[in-house]
Amino acid sequence: MFEFFNKRKSSEKNKGEKNHEEKLVVFSTKLEENMQKIKEIFCDDDTLVERQFTNNLNDEIKCCIFYTDGMIDNDIINDSIIFPLQTTSIHISSENLMDVLMKQVLRSNEVQKTNDLEKIIQAIIAGDTVLFAQGSSEALILNTKGYALRAVVEPESEKVIRGPREGFTEGILRNLTMLRRRIRTPNLKTKYMTFGTVTKTKACICYIEGIVNKQVLNDLYKRLNTFQIDGVLDVNYIAEIIRDSPKSLFKTIGFTERPDMIAAKLLEGRVALFLDGTPVVITVPYLFIENFQSNEDYYVTFIYSSITRLLRICSFFATITVPALYVSIVTYHQEMLPTPMLLSIATARQDVPFPTIIELFGIIIVFQILTETGIRMATGIGQALSILGALVIGQSAVEARIVSAPVIIVVALVGITGLVVPRLSGATLVIRPLLLMLAAFLGFFGFTIGMIALLIHLYNLNSFGVPFFTDILTLDDQKTKDLAIRAPWWKMLTRPEYLTGNRTRMKMDGELKQ
């Protein structure tokens, strides 16, 4: 099924046989020696906690636990580990010590017996508790994780009027739980991986067996196994390495913090990658039309959602083209304007010392600075600063005849339409000035060249083997039912064929179809 992944695992296994003795460190049967070994590894680490105790009825049963302070649940350790070990009256011999403790004494829901030093170290770091006992050369790893996590709230960058208010947090298990609550089938598969030779960050690949595109899944595994990095703190570390066309302005990997969006994408055949420590989840493949889709489109009537989606598409093209069109018309093609409008613009530009291109560039840069300031500052201060800055600077610039009023209107329109599609903000930031420069030097001819180059670039992009602009020009109603407009649910009977081989999404009774 995953040929590349399995081959790599087998090669790593064969390679690791030479270092088998180094990985599997055999501990001593003496408790003091084992304790000393752990304390030497974690020397100068004051968060390591050591706790020794003995059984109340048998002094020969001596134990010691190690854990990281702040990463564990104290109640679990006290009630499920220390108390049972101190009070048990079960006869325990040194031959089967750990087996008896694991099966009859300890109350932990997850226990693992090992003598692998690397596993023990990683368990302590991850928030588990490691138990050593006198007379045993093995240790028990017990699940006692209990570190604090941020509460589940709605993502600030993906707010909706209707729909769920849940957003992912920094805990990978909690995020997977939110996904499980929405997709209650054993076909939802979760495969753990680890990234970062230093950080050892846990990741999880999720997909639905029977719906997922196997070629995309295999391609993802192949790319994830082609690099090594010392630390991974966010999914963008991975996304930049595995994405198609890494130098392109357009994202070919999806990002979201909403569980309902991940569930919807998995149901269409996509693959999701969760990473511990970040609320952002990536999905592949990612298509151009997804930049204009919102999960709220499916929670309201199809008429309203289709209108709003068309507005987003028009806003994107407006924010990248309006400045270039204004410059080309005012500079080279004044005959295209009605005479009253041309006279109004000429009057407004009277006594302005700069060319139109300089005006636009200057005001756009100021607007972008105000936008970044509003984002980085505290919420209340940032909003007030953005509004006051735009009003004061714009009004003052017009009154001082530094810029003309039509330029302020154009930049305001560009700024507003740019905020409608935040997923393309990075691309618009670069495309807009490029088109503006072409229009300033070559007029409509330069603008046309720029738009043709942009379309050619978009048509040449792929995301994990799937065309980035797929189905845009098709006339098949089942392929275009969820592109520029959203068809009603009774019309969306199949899944996109480029995402899955299992296309049947819904079956309708003949009477209901009518």
Side-chain angles (χ1 to χ4, degrees):
M1 183 177 172
F2 311 122
E3 294 84 357
F4 180 89
F5 184 62
N6 290 332
K7 286 180 181 177
R8 190 174 189 273
K9 283 183 66 178
S10 62
S11 66
E12 288 179 351
K13 183 177 179 182
N14 294 332
K15 191 185 296 183
E17 288 179 356
K18 298 179 181 179
N19 301 324
H20 187 71
E21 294 299 327
E22 296 179 10
K23 287 187 176 181
L24 294 178
V25 177
V26 179
F27 286 90
S28 169
T29 56
K30 296 180 180 180
L31 180 61
E32 292 294 333
E33 293 183 6
N34 296 336
M35 291 168 52
Q36 185 62 32
K37 185 173 294 185
I38 297 298
K39 286 189 284 188
E40 287 177 358
I41 294 172
F42 287 91
C43 65
D44 298 328
D45 186 352
D46 293 339
T47 61
L48 180 70
V49 177
E50 170 197 349
R51 172 72 163 87
Q52 300 182 52
F53 51 90
T54 60
N55 183 265
N56 295 338
L57 304 177
N58 187 353
D59 292 341
E60 295 182 358
I61 302 177
K62 298 179 181 180
C63 301
C64 180
I65 58 175
F66 290 95
Y67 59 87
T68 302
D69 192 19
M71 299 282 288
I72 49 86
D73 187 325
N74 290 312
D75 292 335
I76 295 178
I77 291 180
N78 293 333
D79 299 337
S80 301
I81 300 176
I82 297 178
F83 180 77
L85 285 171
Q86 287 182 328
T87 59
T88 182
S89 58
I90 298 175
H91 176 71
I92 305 174
S93 64
S94 58
E95 296 179 358
N96 60 352
L97 174 61
M98 287 304 183
D99 290 329
V100 173
L101 293 181
M102 181 170 58
K103 297 177 181 179
Q104 301 183 39
V105 179
L106 298 172
R107 300 175 182 175
S108 178
N109 66 331
E110 184 179 336
V111 185
Q112 180 183 2
K113 182 173 66 172
T114 183
N115 62 353
D116 189 333
L117 181 59
E118 182 64 25
K119 284 186 179 180
I120 291 172
I121 294 171
Q122 292 303 317
I124 295 174
I125 294 172
D128 292 327
T129 297
V130 174
L131 170 69
F132 291 95
Q134 180 68 35
S136 175
S137 60
E138 296 177 310
L140 295 182
I141 299 174
L142 303 105
N143 180 17
T144 57
K145 298 181 183 71
Y147 37 84
L149 291 172
R150 181 170 58 91
V152 177
V153 295
E154 185 177 9
E156 289 291 330
S157 59
E158 298 180 82
K159 286 185 176 293
V160 295
I161 299 174
R162 290 185 59 181
R165 296 292 190 270
E166 285 185 333
F168 289 128
T169 67
E170 286 71 21
I172 189 172
L173 292 178
R174 179 179 290 184
N175 294 342
L176 292 174
T177 300
M178 284 189 275
L179 181 62
R180 276 284 184 193
R181 285 175 42 228
R182 288 168 171 79
I183 305 179
R184 302 182 182 184
T185 172
N187 290 331
L188 176 61
K189 306 301 181 182
T190 54
K191 302 290 185 180
Y192 281 117
M193 298 184 72
T194 302
F195 296 100
T197 56
V198 177
T199 59
K200 306 289 185 182
T201 308
K202 182 182 289 187
C204 183
I205 297 173
C206 296
Y207 60 91
I208 299 179
E209 186 69 39
I211 297 180
V212 68
N213 186 328
K214 296 296 180 61
Q215 293 181 348
V216 172
L217 184 60
N218 288 332
D219 192 11
L220 177 61
Y221 274 120
K222 181 178 180 180
R223 299 188 192 191
L224 291 175
N225 285 280
T226 55
F227 69 93
Q228 284 190 349
I229 188 171
D230 58 350
V232 175
L233 305 179
D234 184 78
V235 287
N236 193 59
Y237 284 57
I238 299 172
E240 284 195 7
I241 298 173
I242 67 172
R243 61 173 287 192
D244 296 83
S245 305
K247 295 181 181 180
S248 174
L249 300 175
F250 295 91
K251 297 183 295 184
T252 53
I253 292 179
F255 295 81
T256 183
E257 296 182 42
R258 300 192 64 93
D260 54 328
M261 288 191 69
I262 294 298
K265 290 179 184 295
L266 293 185
L267 287 170
E268 285 193 335
R270 291 179 175 85
V271 185
L273 175 63
F274 292 74
L275 189 72
D276 195 21
T278 176
V280 181
V281 179
I282 62 177
T283 58
V284 295
Y286 186 75
L287 309 181
F288 180 70
I289 194 64
E290 291 184 65
N291 292 305
F292 309 104
Q293 295 174 340
S294 169
N295 56 324
E296 196 173 15
D297 291 346
Y298 308 93
Y299 304 149
V300 297
T301 176
F302 69 95
I303 299 175
Y304 174 75
S305 62
S306 298
I307 293 172
T308 55
R309 187 176 295 179
L310 287 172
L311 285 175
R312 294 184 205 119
I313 296 173
C314 293
S315 296
F316 168 67
F317 285 103
T319 194
I320 64 174
T321 60
V322 167
L325 288 173
Y326 177 79
V327 167
S328 61
I329 291 174
V330 171
T331 307
Y332 297 100
H333 311 285
Q334 296 92 341
E335 69 278 1
M336 297 185 63
L337 293 175
T339 302
M341 181 178 290
L342 181 60
L343 292 174
S344 177
I345 293 175
T347 302
R349 283 194 43 77
Q350 193 174 14
D351 299 329
V352 174
F354 303 108
T356 304
I357 181 67
I358 301 298
E359 289 182 81
L360 274 171
F361 262 119
I363 296 300
I364 288 175
I365 291 172
V366 170
F367 182 85
Q368 193 63 39
I369 291 172
L370 289 173
T371 303
E372 287 296 314
T373 303
I375 294 173
R376 308 303 169 195
M377 296 290 291
T379 305
I381 300 174
Q383 291 177 353
L385 186 63
S386 298
I387 296 171
L388 288 175
L391 289 174
V392 172
I393 293 175
Q395 184 67 25
S396 300
V398 172
E399 291 180 355
R401 297 291 182 179
I402 298 175
V403 296
S404 60
V407 167
I408 297 294
I409 296 172
V410 169
V411 173
L413 176 63
V414 167
I416 293 171
T417 52
L419 296 175
V420 175
V421 192
R423 296 175 188 169
L424 290 170
S425 58
T428 57
L429 193 62
V430 179
I431 295 171
R432 188 192 298 143
L434 291 178
L435 290 176
L436 188 56
M437 292 296 295
L438 287 171
F441 287 106
L442 300 173
F444 265 130
F445 180 67
F447 171 77
T448 305
I449 290 175
M451 290 301 296
I452 292 174
L454 176 61
L455 291 174
I456 292 174
H457 174 67
L458 288 172
Y459 270 102
N460 281 304
L461 288 179
N462 289 281
S463 177
F464 285 79
V466 179
F468 196 53
F469 242 33
T470 187
D471 289 343
I472 295 294
L473 299 179
T474 183
L475 298 178
D476 188 339
D477 62 336
Q478 279 299 308
K479 292 181 179 180
T480 59
K481 61 186 179 296
D482 196 20
L483 296 179
I485 62 172
R486 180 181 81 78
W489 274 111
W490 65 81
K491 291 288 186 181
M492 295 199 292
L493 304 178
T494 61
R495 299 185 181 92
E497 64 178 352
Y498 45 84
L499 294 177
T500 175
N502 182 0
R503 296 199 63 199
T504 304
R505 185 205 302 267
M506 178 170 56
K507 295 181 180 179
M508 293 288 292
D509 183 74
E511 296 180 2
L512 292 176
K513 289 183 182 180
Q514 298 175 2

